[in-house]
Structure formats: C-alpha cells, structure tokens
Amino acid sequence: WATWNMGNSQGLLPGSKCCLGAGQENESEMPGGMSFLRSSEVNFEAQAVGSHTSCLSWRLGPDSAFSIELEQLQDLHAQINTHLTVFRAVLLFDDATSGLIMGNGVEDAGMNAPDSMTRLGQLLCRWALSQSPAIGILVGVDHGVLYSVQGLLSFPSGNESPAYFGPVSAGARHLADTSRQEGMVHISTS
C-alpha cells in the first residue's frame, strides 16, 4: 500500500481551487442548501487500491443526456447493477447520467481487469444501442493505479465515503469525456 500525505496549511491541494473538508472549524453553505465542513488544515493519507486495477467511466452522450426519459434511465442503472454483479466490479461513483466502475478481473472466467472492464463496457454499449430510442453512451477504460482517501468531505450528518483519484480514474474519465463516438469502448493505449 502506498501512502501520500496531502496536507498543507491552506486546506487546498497544491494548484487546486477547491476546498477539502475534514474538520469542523468552518461551516459553509453549498448551492441547494447542503452544507459541508471545511478545515483550515488538511492531512489525509491516500492508499493505493491494490497494485493495478482497471476503471470504466461512462456518461450519457449530449443528445441522450438532454432527452432520456426516467424509465430508460432506471433501466440503464438496473443494467449497470446487473453487470457489476456478473463482473464482480465495484461502483466507485454514480450519478444519474455518469459513473465510475472499478474492476479487478474475473478469475474463474479467465478475464483480467482490463479485459473484464472492456467487456462490461461492450455489453453496456450494446444494450444502450438496442433500446428504443437508442441511448447514446460514452465509455472509457483505463488500467493503472487508483488511490482511495477517506474523509475528504465530512457532512454534518457524519456520512463519509471514500473518494477515488489517480491516473486510472482520470484516464478513464478523460477517454469517456473526449470521445466523439457513442456506443463504443474507448481504451487507453498505455
């Protein structure tokens, strides 16, 4: 497990323009009335999630994001949940129109992490294109190091979940965000 100390006296990552909440020194209000706590000193330890893993990032294409019906969106998320089980993958981030999935491979099926995430992406794309109307989905898959850090945002309710970052999540998101072709898995060449 690799660890990084990401603390500094400003409460910001170097070069970052966002605040990271960890303590209870200052309370701020976010749009929509949700509040978070901000600390003047941040001292987190990030841990590598295994040695190498693969991440799949997905998002709806621009046309689908504006026109998708609630029922189709619910069906899409049900399909994703089914694939998570089949591929023994972990949902790291999810909102209505995008998400990030981590896979470590499916040993009994002879699939390593990049193979399993690529196959999950292919099945997701195939399903989305078979819908009526078709759902435009953008998918990126990358393989590398993923880090986890606990407590970046501490909400007044006390709920915390790990935050994920690193080359593999950034790479997968970049591939999905910059792709021009919907219904295709975009894979990192590195």
Side-chain angles (χ1 to χ4, degrees), residues 14-88:
S16 173
K17 295 187 182 199
C18 67
C19 62
L20 303 173
Q24 298 183 1
E25 296 176 17
N26 302 320
E27 190 169 320
S28 298
E29 190 75 23
M30 292 176 67
M34 182 183 291
S35 63
F36 65 96
L37 302 173
R38 182 172 36 199
S39 173
S40 62
E41 183 169 322
V42 178
N43 191 16
F44 297 109
E45 283 193 9
Q47 297 184 331
V49 178
S51 57
H52 278 83
T53 189
S54 285
C55 282
L56 178 149
S57 177
W58 69 272
R59 71 176 183 85
L60 292 182
D63 292 339
S64 291
F66 284 101
S67 65
I68 194 165
E69 298 288 330
L70 178 59
E71 186 176 336
Q72 269 195 315
L73 200 54
Q74 290 170 327
D75 291 345
L76 172 62
H77 283 269
Q79 191 70 24
I80 290 169
N81 284 330
T82 298
H83 290 318
L84 291 175
T85 302
V86 170
F87 289 95
R88 299 183 191 126

Side-chain angles (χ1 to χ4, degrees), residues 50-180:
S51 57
H52 278 83
T53 189
S54 285
C55 282
L56 178 149
S57 177
W58 69 272
R59 71 176 183 85
L60 292 182
D63 292 339
S64 291
F66 284 101
S67 65
I68 194 165
E69 298 288 330
L70 178 59
E71 186 176 336
Q72 269 195 315
L73 200 54
Q74 290 170 327
D75 291 345
L76 172 62
H77 283 269
Q79 191 70 24
I80 290 169
N81 284 330
T82 298
H83 290 318
L84 291 175
T85 302
V86 170
F87 289 95
R88 299 183 191 126
V90 178
L91 188 63
L92 302 179
F93 163 79
D94 187 37
D95 69 18
T97 61
S98 66
L100 182 67
I101 298 168
M102 177 185 72
N104 293 309
V106 184
E107 287 184 28
D108 56 337
M111 284 198 264
N112 61 22
D115 290 343
S116 68
M117 289 298 90
T118 301
R119 186 65 181 143
L120 190 156
Q122 290 170 334
L123 293 172
L124 192 58
C125 288
R126 183 179 295 164
W127 177 87
L129 291 173
S130 74
Q131 300 306 295
S132 182
I135 301 171
I137 190 167
L138 300 163
V139 177
V141 172
D142 201 358
H143 183 73
V145 179
L146 180 67
Y147 295 96
S148 167
V149 64
Q150 188 71 31
L152 275 177
L153 288 178
S154 297
F155 294 96
S157 66
N159 291 340
E160 289 184 3
S161 62
Y164 298 92
F165 69 99
V168 66
S169 61
R173 285 181 175 148
H174 176 76
L175 288 166
D177 289 345
T178 60
S179 62
R180 295 184 185 158

